[in-house]
Amino acid sequence: MTGVLFDFSGTLFRIESTESWLRAVLAETGHTLPEPELLDAARALEEAGALAGGADPVELPEELAEVWAVRDESAELHRAAYTGLSRRVTLPDPGLHDALYARHMTPAAWAPYPDAAEVLRSLRERGIRVGVVSNVGWDLRPVFRAHGLDPYVDAYVLSYEHGVQKPDPRLFSVACAALGADPREVLMVGDSREADGGAATLGCRVHFVDHLPVTDRPGALLPVLDLVG
């Protein structure tokens, strides 16, 4: 293998819990909620699927189905999808929905998996080029910089910057080209068999990890080092 492509959310990083997300925004904006109401609101937001990188909606509203299907193709669609879901939950101030969306794009909202730095550093030491291929509606590069992982990434290929989202093979093709690598010599690592599995269309080898909380997945990325040889 001459290159490895990684998904972002659920693969290298994990978003904070919905409760932590809501608590942080309430604190940042000076709002308070009684504890039972806060917990109820957090549960409702999670069921709504309002946190990007978190759980999918339990029930997708018909009026949001079209934008949801293509949400990662532009920043505008991504915002519309997630703030639309968030607004299905009543909060003490309508402005909190935009604040919640803004919060999820900050480095503080994300934590790298425990083995991410070790694996990326080892790949760099072996001379294997690394790309990040993500279905996302915002620039995640600051997250990598803030957590010290940016020096190990050679290319970022983000769906909203190309107007196409995984599993469309065109996004993986752009990523392989950015690494200067033949797709048949590239390993794609991700947590979604549907989205990340699209890389196999080009001849990439694909390896899947489970989208688990950071504390529950201490070493799932380490096998990547054996797979690249």
Side-chain angles (χ1 to χ4, degrees):
M1 294 292 171
T2 60
V4 180
L5 300 175
F6 289 94
D7 174 50
F8 167 58
S9 175
T11 300
L12 291 175
F13 283 84
R14 172 72 184 236
I15 191 69
E16 64 187 331
S17 70
T18 308
E19 181 184 332
S20 170
W21 178 52
L22 177 59
R23 286 186 187 277
V25 169
L26 291 173
E28 290 165 3
T29 57
H31 289 83
T32 58
L33 277 176
E35 188 68 9
E37 291 182 25
L38 188 154
L39 295 176
D40 285 345
R43 280 192 290 269
L45 287 165
E46 182 155 0
E47 290 179 3
L51 176 56
D56 285 342
V58 171
E59 182 179 349
L60 183 64
E62 184 177 347
E63 65 272 18
L64 289 176
E66 187 173 345
V67 70
W68 176 261
V70 293
R71 63 192 181 279
D72 295 312
E73 292 185 4
S74 76
E76 295 75 19
L77 289 168
H78 193 269
R79 176 181 286 274
Y82 284 103
T83 57
L85 292 170
S86 175
R87 289 190 172 95
R88 291 173 56 80
V89 178
T90 301
L91 296 175
D93 180 346
L96 286 170
H97 298 288
D98 288 325
L100 284 167
Y101 186 80
R103 163 75 186 183
H104 104 275
M105 296 185 287
T106 64
W110 296 87
Y113 281 94
D115 52 348
E118 177 185 351
V119 170
L120 294 178
R121 182 172 56 250
S122 295
L123 291 172
R124 172 54 58 89
E125 291 170 351
R126 297 183 188 188
I128 296 173
R129 294 178 64 78
V130 169
V132 172
V133 186
S134 177
N135 280 352
V136 68
W138 49 278
D139 187 5
L140 51 75
R141 295 172 183 86
V143 175
F144 280 78
R145 289 196 291 268
H147 290 280
L149 299 187
D150 180 66
Y152 308 122
V153 179
D154 297 292
Y156 295 90
V157 178
L158 312 181
S159 61
Y160 85 103
E161 294 181 337
H162 297 274
V164 62
Q165 61 189 36
K166 299 180 290 186
D168 193 313
R170 288 177 293 174
L171 202 64
F172 300 107
S173 181
V174 169
C176 290
L179 297 185
D182 184 323
R184 294 168 295 182
E185 297 176 353
V186 171
L187 174 68
M188 175 67 210
V189 183
D191 67 300
S192 171
R193 281 165 170 74
E194 177 184 2
D196 301 311
T201 304
L202 297 180
C204 297
R205 186 173 180 180
V206 184
H207 176 69
F208 296 108
V209 294
D210 293 324
H211 190 149
L212 296 172
V214 167
T215 53
D216 295 348
R217 215 195 73 189
L221 293 171
L222 293 175
V224 169
L225 300 178
D226 294 325
L227 291 172
V228 297

